[in-house]
Amino acid sequence: MTNDSESQLPADAAEDAADDSAAHDAVPRAQLPELLHAAVAAVGGVERPGQVRMAEAVADAVDHGEHLLVQAGTGTGKSLAYLVPALAHGDRVVVATATLALQRQLVERDLPRTVEALHPVLRRRPLFAMLKGRSNYLCLHRANEGTPSDEGEGLFDPVEAMGGPAGKLGQEVLRLREWADETETGDRDDMTPGVSDKAWAQLSVTSKECLGATRCAYGQECFAEKARERAKLADVVVTNHAMLAIDAIEGAPVLPEHGLLIVDEAHELVNRVTGAATAELTVGAVNRAVKRAARLANEKAVDALQAAAENYHGLMETAQPGRVEELPEYLAYAVTAIRDASRQVITSLGETRDKGLSDEDAVRKQTMAAAETLHETAERLLADSEYDVVWIERSDRFGLGTGSLRVAPLSVSGLLREGLYKERSVVLTSATLKLGGDFNGVAASVGLPSDARLPDVRTPGDEPDPGGFGDDPVPFWRGIDVGSPFKYPKQGILYVARHLADPGRDPERPDMLDELAELIGAAGGRTLGLFSSMRGAQAAAEAMRERLDNRILLQGEDTLGELIREFASDATTCLFGTLSLWQGVDVPGSACQLVVMDRVPFPRPDDPLMSARQKDVEQRGGNGFMAVAATHAALLMAQGAGRLVRAADDRGVVAVLDPRVETKRYGGFFRSSMPEFWYTTDRNQVRRSLAAIDASAPPIRPVVRRG
């Protein structure tokens, strides 16, 4: 199967590339408008004033060695606004996004068309490629030779181990093996239909488990290695936030050298980096390490790890969830035992490396990776660092009810400042970067201090000398809001139900459900319900199904993609759900004319990481509630409100069924974080408006996008 989504590089790419650094002469700035106009025409778009302003700002940031935050509303065309000046500048550019949908849009639509449109002026066709983490690519060694067994019995056939060809997992592994002979990319996201995580894990490896291209019999054909080679030759490398986090904060050079970094969907960066920097010590991981070590490590080391695993398992069976500010002695002892035993296993594996087991290198690699991960996580848990947060988390999956220890950075802003802004200009962009009408909150969270902010508009004499990109440069930055082509005050209404009671912890809110039913009735359906918890979404769906004739779709009852397709195809249908619906759902047209938020989506009071971050701000003299809880909620509300107007002729209402957005002092912070819709608390007015919008709604257009 040929698939060009992974890369546009031809077979003779090495001859087309000027050199491995992908550096080319910059195009004169005077030609930027011509280039942007050509690119916009090539994708069938319309040039927007905000798009032009953003392109000029990106070019200025690169020319002056600065960093840039750009809030670009829906419909701006921000991808072309950063791609065109980036390609014109000549240095290699890395574009990091949070979602696969945007990555695919870039490599399948925007970049191919932009490259062709700019060719007459650039006099070259810039090369581009997509790069992901190694575990996203199928491993040919595992596909052909087998998978290391957790039972310590060498390589095994995962098809037979998963119930044979008749079993569901066995069938998935068989499909993967067949696909391995057809695919040119080996990229999991190119496989349609996909397979379960468990099946994919049988035929993929992490970077620690990989044998290495020089030692593996399939090194020359390796999909992951080919992707890395394409990236080395490319002018534009499209990747994800997780890869960026590894490159920036772990000191692992997984991305090729580049002069410009674009972080799209930048509102997600802190969460993605936090996720990449979080480690977990689970009972399952310790037990798997014991099984893998049993064959290759010496008996003393295996016995020590087995004893440590049994002790830890016993403790985690009764451990209560919550933050652990200091490991109690009994738990510290258990973690120390795991650390020391895993070190013994690592040492033992090193001693037996050359003793006639070379045919089991894959088994050894997986065993070593498991032991090293245990050791590193245990070391971090025992370090008692003031920069980390440790907590116990319980999982009741499959009725096991076991706990695990997790550790995450208290803040990633310092990590990002140290790793992200050196030796390159960085542009961070999203539709939601100004919270409460200001960039400083988001900027601080991604490592850009307020005292390094430059005026939004460049004027002669306001440019301090950053001193280039040295070892410790001051990350000077500007923040600009280029607006949106949509006329928000005329296209949308922001309604806050002031008359309702303040929500409490109990999801049962009879007055809110009454209000929701009346709003859906006035809108004739057409409702996207965004709930702060799954319990709330389920309770509301059950209540509306009893009261209304409208079809109510609920997240979790089908795949998200299928639910969105059904919602978009029927005007009377409503879709209720939680977090993944607040961001990324794009249903333009009359299918979605009412977006409802049941309450302000504050983080849970017992969330260990968020509460620790809030406490840290307060201890340093700041307002922890506003800096952490309110900022978290404002970002989600801004994203949620953005689901309403997706096209120039969209109209509708965003209804917040939480009076605190009007009655509390912090309410203005939330309102100013959302698009500038016409604002009201008049329940009768909003019902009349919804009825009028419903009556004049055009027929459903069969267009659904996610991104």
Side-chain angles (χ1 to χ4, degrees):
M1 176 185 69
T2 300
N3 190 315
D4 295 327
S5 70
E6 177 73 19
S7 171
Q8 163 263 354
L9 290 168
D12 58 350
E15 297 177 8
D16 293 341
D19 55 48
D20 192 51
S21 67
H24 302 275
D25 292 336
V27 175
R29 277 291 300 276
Q31 291 184 282
L32 183 60
E34 176 189 354
L35 293 173
L36 183 60
H37 183 76
V40 172
V43 300
V46 177
E47 198 168 273
R48 311 284 193 183
Q51 186 181 50
V52 174
R53 186 182 173 202
M54 179 175 173
E56 294 284 354
V58 171
D60 280 346
V62 179
D63 288 345
H64 293 86
E66 298 168 357
H67 310 296
L68 180 68
L69 267 66
V70 187
Q71 176 159 293
T74 304
T76 301
K78 67 179 182 298
S79 59
L80 294 186
Y82 59 67
L83 287 176
V84 171
L87 290 171
H89 192 264
D91 282 342
R92 176 185 285 122
V93 57
V94 168
V95 182
T97 79
T99 62
L100 174 65
L102 182 53
Q103 292 165 32
R104 286 205 174 279
Q105 176 188 314
L106 289 169
V107 299
E108 294 178 6
R109 190 193 74 167
D110 294 349
L111 276 165
R113 297 179 185 182
T114 300
V115 162
E116 287 303 314
L118 302 190
H119 175 245
V121 178
L122 297 180
R123 298 182 180 179
R124 59 185 175 87
R125 287 183 173 85
L127 308 175
F128 55 88
M130 187 185 290
L131 183 62
K132 302 177 182 178
R134 187 171 295 274
S135 62
N136 290 277
Y137 300 97
L138 183 138
C139 173
L140 288 172
H141 187 279
R142 286 197 172 186
N144 291 288
E145 304 298 333
T147 300
S149 170
D150 281 348
E151 303 301 327
E153 298 174 352
L155 301 179
F156 76 101
D157 186 339
V159 176
E160 296 302 324
M162 293 182 171
K168 180 181 178 182
L169 287 173
Q171 289 178 346
E172 288 187 322
V173 173
L174 278 176
R175 279 207 300 118
L176 278 170
R177 284 179 169 172
E178 293 170 357
W179 181 69
D181 294 330
E182 302 168 359
T183 178
E184 292 189 357
T185 67
D187 184 342
R188 180 180 182 178
D189 293 313
D190 288 341
M191 186 180 189
T192 305
V195 297
S196 65
D197 290 346
K198 188 171 183 179
W200 182 260
Q202 302 306 310
L203 298 188
S204 64
V205 295
T206 65
S207 57
K208 284 186 176 181
E209 294 170 335
C210 177
L211 292 172
T214 58
R215 298 184 62 195
C216 179
Y218 302 90
Q220 295 300 312
E221 308 163 53
C222 176
F223 294 123
E225 291 298 323
K226 284 183 177 180
R228 293 186 68 175
E229 289 304 313
R230 287 193 291 266
K232 288 180 181 178
L233 293 173
D235 299 276
V236 180
V237 178
V238 178
T239 189
N240 52 47
H241 288 181
M243 284 285 281
L244 178 61
I246 294 169
D247 189 82
I249 69 176
E250 293 187 11
V254 295
L255 298 174
E257 290 187 7
H258 51 282
L260 173 61
L261 170 64
I262 308 287
V263 182
D264 205 339
E265 301 175 312
H267 62 276
E268 277 287 304
L269 182 62
V270 169
N271 285 339
R272 301 301 173 104
V273 172
T274 299
T278 298
E280 184 176 22
L281 189 64
T282 68
V283 170
V286 182
N287 287 334
R288 283 193 297 274
V290 172
K291 293 176 181 178
R292 292 173 182 176
R295 175 176 169 81
L296 297 175
N298 65 46
E299 185 177 354
K300 180 180 179 182
V302 175
D303 287 347
L305 190 56
Q306 176 70 53
E310 292 174 356
N311 182 38
Y312 185 63
H313 190 181
L315 294 175
M316 288 295 104
E317 280 188 318
T318 57
Q320 296 303 305
R323 185 181 179 189
V324 180
E325 298 203 31
E326 182 178 352
L327 286 179
E329 186 176 349
Y330 69 91
L331 198 50
Y333 175 83
V335 176
T336 300
I338 292 173
R339 180 198 65 186
D340 294 345
S342 60
R343 167 49 63 190
Q344 291 182 51
V345 170
I346 293 168
T347 302
S348 175
L349 291 173
E351 292 171 349
T352 60
R353 181 180 299 276
D354 299 317
K355 294 188 178 181
L357 293 172
S358 59
D359 59 323
E360 295 182 349
D361 277 347
V363 181
R364 183 188 313 282
K365 248 313 195 180
Q366 188 177 64
T367 305
M368 182 70 83
E372 287 177 343
T373 299
L374 285 187
H375 186 268
E376 291 167 5
T377 304
E379 281 270 76
R380 187 173 169 191
L381 287 165
L382 293 167
D384 193 26
S385 170
E386 62 180 307
Y387 303 110
D388 272 340
V389 178
V390 177
W391 71 96
I392 294 172
E393 191 166 287
R394 289 193 68 82
S395 172
D396 292 321
R397 290 182 65 195
F398 314 117
L400 297 178
T402 50
S404 62
L405 278 169
R406 294 175 67 91
V407 55
L410 179 62
S411 169
V412 297
S413 61
L415 297 173
L416 289 172
R417 174 166 179 173
E418 288 298 313
L420 203 64
Y421 302 104
K422 296 178 180 178
E423 300 180 0
R424 58 188 170 191
S425 288
V426 180
V427 175
L428 301 105
T429 185
S430 167
T432 50
L433 291 181
K434 288 177 69 176
L435 299 180
D438 189 77
F439 282 110
N440 286 342
V442 170
S445 73
V446 296
L448 294 173
S450 59
D451 58 4
R453 184 174 183 179
L454 301 173
D456 295 351
V457 179
R458 183 181 303 280
T459 57
D462 76 347
E463 303 167 9
D465 179 14
F469 296 115
D471 290 336
D472 190 24
V474 176
F476 289 110
W477 62 281
R478 299 179 194 271
I480 63 167
D481 181 356
V482 300
S484 168
F486 302 145
K487 297 178 174 60
Y488 286 127
K490 293 184 177 180
Q491 290 183 249
I493 296 171
L494 173 60
Y495 164 63
V496 175
R498 178 173 182 166
H499 62 283
L500 298 180
D502 287 359
R505 292 195 177 188
D506 190 344
E508 296 295 329
R509 296 176 60 200
D511 60 343
M512 184 274 288
L513 294 175
D514 291 342
E515 182 77 9
L516 177 60
E518 291 183 23
L519 291 171
I520 293 174
R526 311 179 189 275
T527 301
L528 178 65
L530 306 178
F531 293 83
S532 59
S533 71
M534 202 61 219
R535 284 179 62 198
Q538 291 166 343
E542 182 179 341
M544 295 305 105
R545 285 167 176 168
E546 292 176 355
R547 300 186 192 194
L548 305 172
D549 293 330
N550 302 78
R551 186 182 181 200
I552 308 296
L553 304 174
L554 178 63
Q555 183 180 352
E557 294 182 345
D558 204 336
T559 65
L560 187 57
E562 183 58 32
L563 289 172
I564 295 172
R565 281 189 289 273
E566 291 187 47
F567 172 55
S569 65
D570 180 10
T572 65
T573 295
C574 304
L575 173 58
F576 291 1
T578 183
L579 188 60
S580 55
L581 293 186
W582 289 74
Q583 307 183 63
V585 175
D586 187 1
V587 182
S590 58
C592 181
Q593 294 188 335
L594 172 61
V595 175
V596 176
M597 304 179 199
D598 70 326
R599 63 198 296 163
V600 176
F602 289 122
R604 289 166 49 116
D606 59 354
D607 183 309
L609 185 55
M610 298 299 279
S611 60
R613 288 175 170 174
Q614 185 167 325
K615 181 178 179 181
D616 178 66
V617 173
E618 292 166 353
Q619 289 176 339
R620 290 185 284 109
N623 187 326
F625 170 76
M626 291 302 297
V628 179
T631 296
H632 170 88
L635 180 56
L636 279 176
M637 294 182 76
Q639 284 286 311
R643 303 309 98 203
L644 181 69
V645 176
R646 312 299 297 175
D649 56 354
D650 286 352
R651 295 189 301 161
V653 172
V654 172
V656 182
L657 308 187
D658 187 336
R660 294 175 295 180
V661 176
E662 165 65 21
T663 61
K664 301 296 184 182
R665 285 187 299 175
Y666 54 73
F669 178 74
F670 296 132
R671 297 196 302 273
S672 62
S673 299
M674 291 187 274
E676 295 180 352
F677 296 130
W678 187 78
Y679 179 64
T680 185
T681 59
D682 187 332
R683 58 191 303 197
N684 295 319
Q685 174 63 56
V686 81
R687 283 159 176 71
R688 289 194 297 269
S689 297
L690 280 170
I693 294 170
D694 176 44
S696 62
I700 295 291
R701 295 178 298 177
V703 178
V704 183
R705 303 187 301 271
R706 290 200 81 238

